[in-house]
Each structure stands twice: as C-alpha cells, then as structure tokens.
Amino acid sequence: MSARALRPAAVLFDCDGVLADSEAVANGAIADDLTERGWPMTMEEAKHAFMGTALPDIREVVERRLGAPLPVDWSEQVVERIVARYAAGVLEPIRGARAAVEAVAAAGISMAVASNSGRAELRAKAAILPFFHHFEGRLLCFEDVPRAKPWPDLYLAAAKLCGADPRDCVVIEDSTAGARAGLAAGCRVLGFAQDTPAADLRAAGVKEIFHDHAELPALLGIGRMAA
C-alpha cells in the first residue's frame, strides 16, 4: 500500500497505555479502593479485569461482586486517589509517545484524544505531559458522549472534532474495548501491543499490530520519526 493510501485524515489516540503510562497508577488506585471495601485485589488483577473500562462500567461490576451499592461519589473518590498519585510525580509518558505525536503534528494531520478516563483525570494527565498541547480543544472523555468504549461514540465524536470522516481516520488503541470501539466507528485501527497481548487485540478484530511507537509514522504513511 502506498504512503498516500496509508495517510489518514486524522489520527485518534487512546490515552492510557498509548500516550500516558497510567494504567498501573489508575488500576492500583482501584485495587486499593476495592481491597478496602472487601474485595482483595492487586494492581495486576485490577488491570486484567478493568483495563480500558470506564469507571461507570467498573462500578456495575463491583456492585454485583460486592452485592451492595457503592457510595454515590465512588467515582470521584477513585479519581481523587488517581490524581493525587499523578501529582506526586508517578505519571510518565509511554516510551516514544511524544515523538510519535510530534511526527503526526509535523505532517499536518489533525489529532484528537478519545479516552475512557473521566474529565478530571484526563485534564490532570494533559497538564503533566507537555506534548498534549498538540490536542488542545480535542480531548474527549467518556463524560462527553452518551456511551463509553466499547461503543463507537467516542471515536465518532473525535472524528467529528477533527472534521474527518471516521472511515478516513486511524485509531491508536491498546485495549480490546477501545479496539472494538474504533472498529465499530468504521475507523482503521492500529493495535499497540505493549501491555495487551497481540492475540487479544487480533481477537477483538484488529488486523494491524505494532509494538513500538517508532513504527507509527511508517504505518501512517508519513515517513520516519525524528530521533
């Protein structure tokens, strides 16, 4: 396929695990909260159970497991834990994410972030990671749409923000829920198999897998990434 054919109208990035190395932080906070509530859980167990899942959907799972309703402000309590850990300096970018975003920006391709995070959490990450300025005005969270991933709403909204037809957009995803969302929106999905096994992404319908952000410019038909 030629570079012209590969080059998208817009690139729509997931955030956690794709741009921000935040899965361990967020799932560690969830694990601590659930352990305190009587469901003992490690960060790795929380990550396996909830990776790519929005807090309202996690809430439903937890309430079924505990057999009792969570506090009305449970999501806010968890987000406070997460943001406090970011503020303590534990948030880092995914290796190569900054250079990949800058390569897409230099190519003049519109970009957006579509995250299953809540608004406060997403804004906290954007404030810490300076390369997020490339997404100014195009940061979407689950609170901005009727339905979170794996529904297509976030990626349809992100494509619209970029002024692009979803069929002409590329989604960068590392979770099966997010991959299904991108495919359901009609986008071309590139599966980032760093934490998620490539087999899981393929099972979700992803046909193109990559393992390092240095591969991304070639996959987008925009040449090599700057060192």
Side-chain angles (χ1 to χ4, degrees):
M1 188 179 293
S2 69
R4 183 181 296 275
L6 288 170
R7 184 185 173 96
V11 180
L12 314 177
F13 289 90
D14 175 45
C15 181
D16 302 304
V18 170
L19 299 176
D21 194 2
S22 46
E23 289 285 1
V25 179
N27 286 295
I30 292 169
D32 288 351
D33 179 273
L34 298 187
T35 298
E36 292 169 7
R37 297 182 191 279
W39 184 0
M41 182 175 291
T42 66
M43 180 277 291
E44 288 296 338
E45 289 169 338
K47 190 174 179 180
H48 177 75
F50 304 128
M51 181 176 175
T53 306
L55 280 171
D57 296 324
I58 295 174
R59 182 190 191 103
E60 293 180 10
V61 174
V62 173
E63 290 182 335
R64 285 198 301 270
R65 173 64 169 75
L66 295 179
L70 290 166
V72 174
D73 65 344
W74 177 76
S75 293
E76 289 78 7
Q77 291 180 30
V78 172
V79 169
E80 283 180 10
R81 285 179 183 253
I82 295 169
V83 172
R85 295 180 189 197
Y86 294 160
V90 298
L91 183 66
E92 296 288 341
I94 292 291
R95 181 173 59 85
R98 177 191 60 79
V101 167
E102 290 176 351
V104 177
I109 298 174
S110 183
M111 294 180 290
V113 168
S115 173
N116 256 3
S117 296
R119 187 171 294 113
E121 187 184 345
L122 184 57
R123 286 177 176 172
K125 285 176 277 200
I128 293 169
L129 302 177
F131 64 91
F132 267 65
H133 75 85
H134 291 292
F135 302 106
E136 188 170 357
R138 296 182 303 280
L139 289 170
L140 287 168
C141 67
F142 78 81
E143 295 172 79
D144 294 318
V145 293
R147 302 172 299 182
K149 304 171 190 178
W151 297 98
D153 303 34
L154 267 166
Y155 283 120
L156 291 173
K160 185 176 181 180
L161 265 184
C162 291
D165 187 313
R167 294 169 297 182
D168 298 326
C169 296
V170 169
V171 162
I172 313 298
E173 264 291 352
D174 73 321
S175 75
T176 56
R180 292 189 181 101
L183 292 168
C187 304
R188 176 187 170 206
V189 176
L190 299 179
F192 183 45
Q194 178 168 277
D195 283 341
T196 303
D200 290 357
L201 291 166
R202 289 194 179 96
V206 179
K207 296 180 180 179
E208 298 176 89
I209 305 292
F210 71 108
H211 298 84
D212 190 301
H213 277 308
E215 303 171 57
L216 195 53
L219 290 168
L220 299 175
I222 59 174
R224 294 183 179 180
M225 193 160 69

